[in-house]
């Protein structure tokens, strides 16, 4: 084995060994024992003045921010950057897929679990369980809980959802409230019910007469990869922001922000390879960060096929 082979943790020689794992990239370090949803550290986020002004406009207007751009331009990370800079707590996240429905984002009710627990308690002669134990607010529902300061809600990849989902969101966004029928039907003596929330720290909030109504409209960041168009009525109620692909100067700033100024001393060939390979939507900025991180760790990126594996196209067949 040559001196340059020290970076190879796995050699494929069928020989068992114990190796010392190097430190993980900052963006791949996870908290040990921290509350779910909390990041180990806030990742640096670079944004242009023009784009930052659009974010401020959405905050002033209390309107959802619809963020578009190619993969890797920082659409989802923007929500975390806003929450960090404005000290608004952990981001509430709703990753949208083809099966997502509005109710899931508002609240969930475990009717079967409540029925099972009621039977068990009846057999023991105990009181019926509190219905609030079986109601949990979703990310959107938790964001609408009345507070002095708003929370940040990330609706990630809304364009992957059902075609009617944007329209379903309109009423909630316009009214800033929603009803939980299972609670609104309770007798007056049970008008106030503590329910679980979607917060990473857990906890409960009290819902009165089944109605959740925000005091401050949450900071809503909606991302889209432009896989399909949204209805005009939905677009009219959003502030739109398109994040451009970073140019060479911005890429250097991003590398320095994430990996330190020292990383720029030996990055020109990787940067030019990235720029030469990049076509709209085909490479993401974090792929360049991965390549620079490997270079800093002594990995021989000139090894056959390795650079191609790191800077691979995002679209097409694999």
């Amino acid at each position: 084995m040559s001196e340059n082979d020290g970076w190879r943790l796995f050699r494929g020689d069928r020989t068992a060994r114990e190796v010392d794992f190097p430190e993980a990239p900052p963006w791949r370090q996870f908290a040990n024992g921290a509350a779910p949803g909390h990041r180990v550290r806030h990742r640096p986020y670079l944004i242009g003045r023009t784009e930052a002004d659009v974010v401020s406009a959405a905050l002033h207007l209390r309107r959802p921010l619809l963020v578009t751009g190619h993969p890797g331009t920082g659409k989802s990370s923007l929500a975390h950057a806003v929450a960090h800079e404005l000290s608004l707590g952990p981001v509430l996240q709703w990753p949208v897929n083809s099966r997502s429905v509005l109710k899931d984002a508002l609240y969930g009710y475990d009717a079967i679990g409540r029925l099972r627990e009621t039977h068990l308690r009846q057999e023991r002669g105990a009181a019926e369980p509190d219905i609030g134990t079986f109601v949990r607010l979703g990310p959107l529902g938790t964001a609408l809980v009345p507070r002095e300061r708003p929370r940040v809600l990330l609706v990630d990849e809304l364009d992957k959802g059902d075609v009617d989902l944007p329209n379903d969101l309109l009423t909630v966004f316009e009214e800033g409230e929603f009803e939980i029928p299972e609670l609104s039907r309770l007798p007056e003596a049970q008008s106030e019910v503590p329910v679980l929330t979607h917060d990473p720290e857990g906890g409960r909030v009290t819902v009165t007469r089944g109605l959740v109504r925000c005091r401050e409209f949450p900071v809503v960041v909606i991302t889209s990869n432009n896989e399909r168009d949204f209805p005009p009525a939905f677009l009219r109620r959003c502030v739109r922001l398109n994040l451009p692909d970073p140019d060479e100067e911005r890429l250097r700033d991003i590398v320095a922000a994430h990996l330190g100024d020292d990383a720029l001393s030996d990055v020109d060939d990787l940067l030019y390879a990235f720029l030469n390979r990049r076509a709209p939507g085909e490479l993401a900025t974090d792929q360049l960060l991965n390549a620079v991180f490997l270079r800093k760790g002594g990995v021989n990126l000139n090894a056959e096929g390795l650079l191609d594996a790191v800077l691979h196209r995002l679209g097409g067949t694999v």
Side-chain angles (χ1 to χ4, degrees), residues 1-11 13 17:
M1 183 180 70
S2 67
E3 292 182 1
N4 292 332
D5 285 341
W7 61 271
R8 288 189 167 94
L9 303 178
F10 174 74
R11 301 173 193 165
D13 58 7
R17 61 178 66 84

Side-chain angles (χ1 to χ4, degrees), residues 290-309:
N290 290 337
V292 177
F293 179 82
L294 291 175
R295 170 70 59 78
K296 285 188 61 178
V299 175
N300 179 16
L301 285 171
N302 294 323
E304 184 178 357
L306 185 53
L307 188 60
D308 290 335

